[in-house]
Amino acid sequence: MTLPFWQTKQVPPPESQNSGLKRVFGPWRLIAMGVGVTVGTGLFSLTGVAAGQNAGPAVIISFLIAAIAASFAGLCYAELAGMLPSGGSAYAYAYAGLGEIVAWIIGWDLILEYTVGAAAVASSASGYIASLLKGWNLIIDPRLLAPPMTDVVMPDGHTAHAWCNAPGMLLLFIITLMLMRGTNFSVRLNSLVVLVKILVIVGLIIVCTPFVDTSNFHPFIPANTGKFGEFGISGIMRAAGMAFFAYVGIDIVSTAAQDTKNPQRNMPIGILGSLLTCAVIYVVFSTILLGVVDYRALAHDPSPVATAMDKIHMPWMAVLVKIGITFGFISVLFGLLIGQSRIAMNMADDGLLPPFLARLHKGTSTPWTAHIITAATAAVLTGCVPIATLGEMTSIGTLLAFVIVCAGVTALRFRAPEAPRSFQVPGGPFAVPLLGIISCGIVMGSMSPLTWMRLILWLAVGFCVYFAYGIRKSRLRNNSTKQGGNL
C-alpha cells in the first residue's frame, strides 16, 4: 500500500477542468510574460551586484552557464507543460510524477521563490524610481530607499540609518490592485510594457556601444580573494547561481496554463521562446554594461543601468531609459505575483492549503485573497531585507524547482509512457533530465551556506504545515481513503 504522501495525482487536461479563470494567453502573450519577468531585476540590477561582488567581467560566463543549465530544465518544462497543461507549474508536475510530498516541497518552495522574487524586484525598482526623480530635482529621503539600519548618505553629507524601502512597497500594492482588476486587462498592459522594455534594451545597446572601454574587461576573471565565491572560478559559479534569478520566467509561464488557450501547443512555445530570447539578451546586455562601467563600481549598486547612463553623459537618453526600465518592472512584478497566486490557488484546491486562498472575486474572476496576502508579505520583505539576499533566495528556489521538474520528466516517462506529449525531450528519459539535474545541482552547490540555511529553514516550516494541516485535508488522500485504495 502506498503511503498517503507518496500518492500521485492524475491531472486531467484543462478542457475538463472548471477553474473559473479566463483563458486569455496565446503563444505570443506567454512569451511576452516570460520575457517580461526574466528581463528585469536580473538584468537591470543583479548584473552589477554579481559582477561587483562575485565574478567581475566574467559574469558574462556566469550568464552563459545559467542559460545552459536553464535550457535543460526548459526542455523538461516544455514536455511536462504540453503533457500536463494544468495550473501549478512544477507543483502540478511533481504531483503527477513524484507524489504528494514532493509536490508539497516544490509548492512550498515556489511560494518562497515568487514572494521573495517580487520583493527583490520591487526593491530594485525603488532605486530606479529614486534615480529618475532625482533627475527632475525631486529627492526622496534616502532613509526611505533602503532596509532598516542600512547606512545611507543624507543630502547634507552626514550618514544615517535607513527606515525602509518605501517606493518598492508602494509599487507592489499598485501592481496587485491592477491584477485584482482582471487578468485580461493586466495581460494587455503587460504586453505593452514588455514592448517598451525591449525597445529600451535595444536603444541602450546602440547608444552605449561606442562608449565601451575594453580596459574594463581586464582582468576578465579577477583573482580569487581567498574566500569561496569572491572572484575566480568559484565567483563565476556563485554569480551563475545568482543569475538564476533571471530564469524564474520559465516557471512563471508554466503557472499560466489554466489561463491559456490550447495549452498543449502554446505552453511549450511560450517556455522555449522565452528562454531563447532571454539568454541572448542577457549575454549581449551584460557585455555592453560592463564595458561602460568598471565592475568595481557596481558591487552595491541597485541600479547599474542608471549609473551607466549617467556616465555616458546623454541626459535625454538617460531619462528615457530610466522611465522605460521603471515601467518595465511592472511586467516583472506582474508575472511573479500572478504566478504566486496561481500556485497558492492550486494548492488550496488540492486541500493542502486553506480554501480561502482559492477564493475568486465574483466580478473579476481573480484569486483576490491570495493576491492581497502575497502583496503584504512581499512588501514587508521589500522594506526590510537587502536585495542581494532576496536575489540569492529566489535563485536557489528556482534551481530546486528546475531539479524536481527534470526528475519529473524521467518519472513520467516510466509511469505514463503512453500519455500524449505535444513536445518530447530528445535523447530518451535520462539524457537531458540528468544533465539538468547535474548542472542545476552544481550551481546550487555554489550558493552560500547562509542561503542554504534559509532554504532548509523554510522547508522545515513547510513540513510542519504539511503534517499539521495538508496531509489531513488533502483531497487526494481523502478520496483515496473513501475508495479504499490508491488513486
Side-chain angles (χ1 to χ4, degrees):
M1 171 130 181
T2 303
L3 291 174
F5 46 78
W6 285 115
Q7 289 179 333
T8 55
K9 173 185 175 184
Q10 185 64 43
V11 182
E15 288 76 11
S16 65
Q17 299 178 22
N18 183 21
S19 67
L21 298 172
K22 297 179 181 178
R23 297 190 180 277
V24 297
F25 285 101
W28 293 109
R29 283 183 169 182
L30 286 172
I31 292 174
M33 183 170 72
V35 172
V37 175
T38 304
V39 180
T41 299
L43 187 68
F44 298 140
S45 294
L46 293 183
T47 300
V49 174
Q53 296 184 10
N54 304 115
V59 74
I60 299 166
I61 299 177
S62 301
F63 279 121
L64 284 172
I65 292 172
I68 292 170
S71 66
F72 296 134
L75 290 168
C76 294
Y77 264 101
E79 176 170 325
L80 294 180
M83 179 185 176
L84 302 167
S86 66
S89 149
Y91 162 75
Y93 309 153
Y95 218 151
L98 300 171
E100 184 174 278
I101 187 65
V102 181
W104 170 265
I105 291 171
I106 194 59
W108 190 252
D109 169 68
L110 289 174
I111 288 174
L112 171 70
E113 176 187 338
Y114 294 158
T115 305
V116 175
V121 172
S123 179
S124 176
S126 181
Y128 280 97
I129 292 170
S131 179
L132 176 64
L133 294 178
K134 184 177 180 180
W136 296 334
N137 293 321
L138 297 173
I139 308 299
I140 298 178
D141 191 321
R143 291 171 293 186
L144 295 175
L145 296 172
M149 305 309 295
T150 302
D151 290 335
V152 295
V153 179
M154 300 298 291
D156 60 5
H158 82 273
T159 301
H161 291 306
W163 297 333
C164 67
N165 194 330
M169 299 171 72
L170 178 61
L171 183 60
L172 278 167
F173 285 109
I174 292 174
I175 304 301
T176 297
L177 289 174
M178 182 182 78
L179 283 169
M180 291 173 65
R181 179 174 174 179
T183 305
N184 194 34
F185 166 79
S186 303
V187 166
R188 290 176 179 175
L189 180 59
N190 178 68
S191 298
L192 176 62
V193 170
V194 170
L195 177 61
V196 171
K197 186 189 294 187
I198 296 299
L199 292 175
V200 166
I201 291 171
V202 173
L204 272 168
I205 292 172
I206 294 172
V207 171
C208 290
T209 298
F211 295 90
V212 170
D213 183 355
T214 56
S215 66
N216 287 332
F217 295 110
H218 300 289
F220 187 70
I221 304 179
N224 183 262
T225 62
K227 184 177 180 181
F228 186 91
E230 292 186 2
F231 307 108
I233 301 301
S234 65
I236 292 174
M237 295 306 298
R238 177 68 58 81
M242 188 177 291
F244 258 90
F245 180 102
Y247 294 103
V248 65
I250 298 173
D251 195 86
I252 291 291
V253 171
S254 65
T255 66
Q258 289 175 306
D259 305 80
T260 300
K261 307 168 187 174
N262 190 10
Q264 289 92 338
R265 171 184 176 272
N266 291 332
M267 293 302 295
I269 293 174
I271 290 169
L272 295 178
S274 300
L275 176 61
L276 179 62
T277 302
C278 296
V280 173
I281 289 174
Y282 266 81
V283 171
V284 174
F285 188 83
S286 60
T287 301
I288 299 299
L289 177 65
L290 293 170
V292 174
V293 183
D294 189 321
Y295 73 91
R296 299 173 188 85
L298 299 176
H300 303 285
D301 189 348
S303 50
V305 179
T307 301
M309 294 309 301
D310 291 339
K311 186 171 182 178
I312 67 175
H313 304 298
M314 296 179 66
W316 63 272
M317 186 64 185
V319 171
L320 290 178
V321 167
K322 291 174 185 178
I323 291 175
I325 291 176
T326 300
F327 279 99
F329 281 114
I330 292 174
S331 64
V332 186
L333 289 172
F334 166 81
L336 289 167
L337 294 175
I338 200 172
Q340 164 69 310
S341 66
R342 296 324 186 249
I343 290 292
M345 177 181 170
N346 279 272
M347 293 181 74
D349 280 338
D350 290 332
L352 302 182
L353 288 176
F356 66 81
L357 291 171
R359 193 173 299 151
L360 299 181
H361 190 277
K362 293 182 179 179
T364 61
S365 298
T366 57
W368 62 277
T369 307
H371 278 315
I372 292 173
I373 293 174
T374 299
T377 306
V380 172
L381 293 172
T382 300
C384 301
V385 181
I387 186 173
T389 301
L390 295 171
E392 289 179 355
M393 285 303 301
T394 306
S395 292
I396 199 169
T398 304
L399 284 160
L400 179 58
F402 285 6
V403 167
I404 292 179
V405 166
C406 291
V409 167
T410 300
L412 283 169
R413 286 286 185 95
F414 290 99
R415 180 174 175 267
E418 303 301 324
R421 292 167 169 84
S422 60
F423 174 85
Q424 189 163 311
V425 172
F430 294 108
V432 170
L434 186 59
L435 286 171
I437 291 170
I438 292 172
S439 57
C440 292
I442 291 173
V443 177
M444 285 183 75
S446 70
M447 305 293 283
S448 70
L450 188 57
T451 301
W452 273 98
M453 288 178 60
R454 294 188 185 105
L455 176 64
I456 292 170
L457 178 61
W458 175 254
L459 293 178
V461 172
F463 278 120
C464 293
V465 174
Y466 175 72
F467 286 105
Y469 179 88
I471 197 170
R472 294 187 299 105
K473 300 291 185 178
S474 167
R475 291 188 178 181
L476 179 66
R477 179 175 182 268
N478 290 332
N479 288 339
S480 177
T481 301
K482 290 176 183 178
Q483 295 173 14
N486 190 18
L487 285 180

